[in-house]
Amino acid sequence: MSSELILPELLMCGYYDSSLFSSAKVSPKRTCTMVEVEHFLEDGKNIFLNNEAFPIRKNHVFLSLPGDVRNCELPFKTKYIKFMAEGKIIEMLSSVPRYFNMNRSFEILSLLDEIITLHASKEDNEILLQGKLLTYISLLIEEAMNSQKTQSYKRAITAQAQSFIKNNCSRQIKLSDIAREVNLSPNYFHTIFTEVCRITPREYLTECRVSMVKNLLITTN
């Protein structure tokens, strides 16, 4: 990684409600020329990064880098910030997830509000603005890295649960049995599994049982 820290250049920031500007259902594709960060303020449909879809969810962050091709389904509401970055900052931003949930949303969004207010001010506050921008970027990277670790943990838990369900779907297993296998409470396990798989543990168990019956019909008398 480059050891050179080049200060970012803030270009734009503010609040955006797409419903105020267009009745279109999908925005046109465009190629990003700067770092763009969006903090979704409410649930929406989907946003697309290099043809990969991500759901628009409240308190989630969407990060685009120069060269990315993006568009989205409308409408949506967001707080946004756009800046030019080089050196260590762009290298660090390139290494983190592009879409993640914020655990410290109040702290980060409050800081972004301060940046938006300072940027709109006509006073000479470049040093203060630059300091807050660097703090914001640092917190953003920290949140993204923590989210990445959390998602890896959730995927590992889900994979272990899926294996247990497949191997025991012929038995009368319950949610509590599966949760015990991965050392989690039933409610917390249900939340993690549903988030990762987009179906509930019960629905996954049913799918496994149907698949097992189909296989028996094909391979046995």
Side-chain angles (χ1 to χ4, degrees), residues 121-127:
S121 171
K122 298 184 182 302
E123 299 177 7
D124 184 10
N125 48 33
E126 184 61 30
I127 294 177

Side-chain angles (χ1 to χ4, degrees), residues 72-106:
C72 61
E73 294 176 315
L74 306 174
F76 68 95
K77 294 180 181 180
T78 181
K79 290 182 184 179
Y80 70 91
I81 185 167
K82 302 180 182 182
F83 56 90
M84 299 297 295
E86 301 178 73
K88 180 179 290 187
I89 290 177
I90 195 66
E91 288 182 9
M92 293 181 71
L93 288 171
S94 299
S95 68
V96 302
R98 304 297 192 85
Y99 174 84
F100 56 91
N101 182 42
M102 290 191 302
N103 291 319
R104 299 160 68 185
S105 59
F106 179 80

Side-chain angles (χ1 to χ4, degrees), residues 166 169 207-221:
K166 288 178 180 178
C169 63
E207 287 186 359
C208 288
R209 285 173 172 165
V210 169
S211 179
M212 179 185 68
V213 170
K214 286 181 178 178
N215 185 62
L216 289 173
L217 288 171
I218 293 172
T219 60
T220 70
N221 292 324

Side-chain angles (χ1 to χ4, degrees), residues 154-169 173 178 181-182 189 193 196-201 204-205 207-208:
K154 289 179 178 179
R155 286 193 293 269
I157 288 293
T158 300
Q160 182 181 349
Q162 287 175 319
S163 177
F164 177 80
I165 292 171
K166 288 178 180 178
N167 292 333
N168 295 274
C169 63
I173 57 174
I178 309 170
E181 176 68 17
V182 296
F189 164 69
F193 190 96
V196 174
C197 295
R198 303 293 178 87
I199 60 173
T200 66
Y204 186 81
L205 175 59
E207 287 186 359
C208 288

